[in-house]
Amino acid sequence: MFDTVPSANVRTTRVVSSDQLRDLLADTGATVHDSVRLSELTTLRVGGRALLAECASTEALIATVNALDAAGLAVLLVAGGSNLLVDDAGFDGVVVRIGTTGVELDTGGVVAEAGANWDEVVAATVAAGLGGLECLSGIPGSAGATPVQNVGAYGVEVASLLRRVRLLDRRTGEVRWAEPAELGFGYRTSVLKHSDDAVVLAVEFALDPSGMSAPLRYGELAKVLGAAEGQTRPVDEVRAQVLRLRAGKGMVLDAADHDTWSAGSFFTNPVVTEDQLPLVLAAIAAHVGADVKVPTYPAPDGTKLSAGWLIERAGFAKGFPGEDAAARLSTKHTLALTNRGAATAADIVALARTVRTGVQQRFGVTLEPEPVTVGLSL
């Protein structure tokens, strides 16, 4: 899951009233809302209050961000809120809600505005018989957030399909299209994730008009489709199976299912260097036994391990710490930290720290959080 520019752009500690904010943004096209609960804008459903400026057009978004930056105010950009953990005290600056939703299809791809619902974008491409994005079905969040952390699932990453990204440079006010080579993509990362200098305004993907999927690279998905890895299948069939698999892991939003009140995978899969790998494998063997097969995957900088596997083997089962806890690991998937209905941000952080410390002590591996944190840290 994903959804925001990497961090609050804190330029000063200046605080404004809602009336002052309305005056400041009078000519931008933004709508100002008083004291909005950020828990209502995030899929974890935690977070305190903040002033909010809602932008329904790209023009309003550009003008609003430029005005707030010129005034030296702290800015937090939010669309779907699916990769965001905000402190219970809220945010002292201005939350800019990206409400741009335009989607344009042609035979070679799709252009989506930053605030467009990601799964709706994927569904539209599948309905049009365009292949490429189907393995990314069911992921909550906005289209504009996908290049920020190079979103990926079931063997497909955004970087492999992205044609270009439209950006607002907050330092200069320039708006331009950037090529993928400029974005420094890596595993769940990009240069956009580590800087708040740019705002994603739109994304464009190159897709296959044949109606067939990208080559299947994920064994579990290929198996349920009756295919070998590397083969293709009709895009609608792939989407249906991806949604089924994700739902079985509590990874498709459902207001009635607290297992989906989460930020998705809370920790990224750790990558260890080749020098570190023997020590880590020895620590794992000492704890779980030398005959246990450890899932490993090749990565550009070393070997990738499964965070979920490590969490379970460190003693944190599905549903940890128990039914009475306000924040628990999902009952379907140990990589998701969930709000059971009344959790606070502090509850989520406490659980994350417990899990992270346990894995570190058992195996010498430090798990890195995937969500963007605002006003708090692990």
Side-chain angles (χ1 to χ4, degrees), residues 14 16-34 50-57 59-77 91 93-98 168 170:
R14 178 184 171 197
V16 294
S17 68
S18 56
D19 287 340
Q20 289 173 320
L21 184 61
R22 286 188 177 91
D23 289 342
L24 177 66
L25 302 182
D27 298 325
T28 65
T31 302
V32 174
H33 301 274
D34 298 338
L51 283 173
L52 183 141
E54 188 159 11
C55 300
S57 71
E59 293 73 22
L61 176 59
I62 294 170
T64 297
V65 172
N66 284 340
L68 293 171
D69 285 347
L73 294 172
V75 175
L76 174 65
L77 298 165
F91 182 64
V94 179
V95 173
V96 175
R97 180 76 180 274
I98 302 173
L168 164 65
R170 297 175 72 174

Side-chain angles (χ1 to χ4, degrees), residues 134-137 139 152-157 188 214-222 224 238 241-249 251:
E134 57 285 333
C135 285
L136 304 180
S137 294
I139 299 175
Y154 295 102
V156 173
E157 288 186 332
R188 299 299 176 270
L216 300 170
R217 298 186 178 90
Y218 196 84
E220 180 185 24
L221 178 59
V224 298
V238 175
Q241 291 301 327
V242 167
L243 290 173
R244 185 182 69 81
L245 289 171
R246 290 186 62 86
K249 299 173 183 177
M251 291 296 190

Side-chain angles (χ1 to χ4, degrees), residues 136-195:
L136 304 180
S137 294
I139 299 175
S142 65
T146 60
V148 173
Q149 68 179 69
N150 189 18
V151 166
Y154 295 102
V156 173
E157 288 186 332
V158 161
S160 65
L161 299 161
L162 191 69
R163 183 179 285 159
R164 55 182 184 162
V165 178
R166 193 179 184 214
L167 299 174
L168 164 65
D169 188 326
R170 297 175 72 174
R171 300 161 300 181
T172 66
E174 178 189 13
V175 174
R176 69 181 183 91
W177 287 96
E179 303 297 321
E182 301 177 57
L183 301 180
F185 286 120
Y187 170 63
R188 299 299 176 270
T189 192
S190 72
V191 297
L192 299 170
K193 187 173 183 177
H194 303 292
S195 170

Side-chain angles (χ1 to χ4, degrees), residues 1-359:
M1 291 186 182
F2 50 92
D3 182 60
T4 112
V5 165
S7 64
N9 182 35
V10 180
R11 307 254 167 136
T12 75
T13 57
R14 178 184 171 197
V15 178
V16 294
S17 68
S18 56
D19 287 340
Q20 289 173 320
L21 184 61
R22 286 188 177 91
D23 289 342
L24 177 66
L25 302 182
D27 298 325
T28 65
T31 302
V32 174
H33 301 274
D34 298 338
S35 192
V36 172
R37 290 183 181 273
L38 293 177
S39 58
E40 297 174 358
L41 302 181
T42 65
T43 56
L44 264 169
R45 305 189 187 213
V46 299
R49 293 181 178 275
L51 283 173
L52 183 141
E54 188 159 11
C55 300
S57 71
T58 296
E59 293 73 22
L61 176 59
I62 294 170
T64 297
V65 172
N66 284 340
L68 293 171
D69 285 347
L73 294 172
V75 175
L76 174 65
L77 298 165
V78 178
S82 61
N83 198 42
L84 190 60
L85 175 56
V86 184
D87 188 67
D88 298 313
F91 182 64
D92 284 337
V94 179
V95 173
V96 175
R97 180 76 180 274
I98 302 173
T100 56
T101 59
V103 178
E104 295 183 7
L105 298 166
D106 61 36
T107 56
V110 61
V111 177
E113 290 185 314
N117 177 284
W118 175 248
D119 190 56
E120 292 178 6
V121 173
V122 176
T125 66
V126 169
L130 299 172
L133 299 179
E134 57 285 333
C135 285
L136 304 180
S137 294
I139 299 175
S142 65
T146 60
V148 173
Q149 68 179 69
N150 189 18
V151 166
Y154 295 102
V156 173
E157 288 186 332
V158 161
S160 65
L161 299 161
L162 191 69
R163 183 179 285 159
R164 55 182 184 162
V165 178
R166 193 179 184 214
L167 299 174
L168 164 65
D169 188 326
R170 297 175 72 174
R171 300 161 300 181
T172 66
E174 178 189 13
V175 174
R176 69 181 183 91
W177 287 96
E179 303 297 321
E182 301 177 57
L183 301 180
F185 286 120
Y187 170 63
R188 299 299 176 270
T189 192
S190 72
V191 297
L192 299 170
K193 187 173 183 177
H194 303 292
S195 170
D196 55 16
D197 287 339
V199 179
V200 176
L201 303 175
V203 292
E204 182 176 358
F205 294 95
L207 303 176
D208 181 357
S210 70
M212 301 300 289
S213 70
L216 300 170
R217 298 186 178 90
Y218 196 84
E220 180 185 24
L221 178 59
K223 183 178 179 180
V224 298
L225 286 163
E229 290 188 40
Q231 291 184 329
T232 63
R233 286 292 184 269
V235 288
D236 56 343
E237 294 181 15
V238 175
R239 174 173 165 79
Q241 291 301 327
V242 167
L243 290 173
R244 185 182 69 81
L245 289 171
R246 290 186 62 86
K249 299 173 183 177
M251 291 296 190
V252 177
L253 291 182
D254 179 352
D257 182 1
H258 285 141
D259 276 333
T260 73
W261 289 31
S262 76
S265 298
F266 195 89
F267 297 104
T268 59
N269 290 322
V271 176
V272 299
T273 65
E274 295 310 311
D275 289 341
Q276 296 170 324
L277 185 61
L279 297 175
V280 171
L281 293 179
I284 293 173
H287 182 66
V288 304
D291 57 340
V292 174
K293 180 176 176 54
V294 180
T296 60
Y297 313 91
D301 300 323
T303 298
K304 186 190 304 180
L305 304 176
S306 166
W309 190 93
L310 292 172
I311 289 168
E312 288 200 54
R313 297 325 185 272
F316 304 104
K318 296 181 181 73
F320 175 88
E323 292 185 3
D324 295 332
R328 300 168 60 190
L329 296 185
S330 167
T331 65
K332 302 180 180 73
H333 183 27
T334 56
L335 202 48
L337 276 62
T338 66
N339 176 356
R340 309 316 292 187
T344 63
D347 293 327
I348 301 294
V349 169
L351 177 58
R353 286 175 178 159
T354 297
V355 171
R356 191 185 200 192
T357 299
V359 171

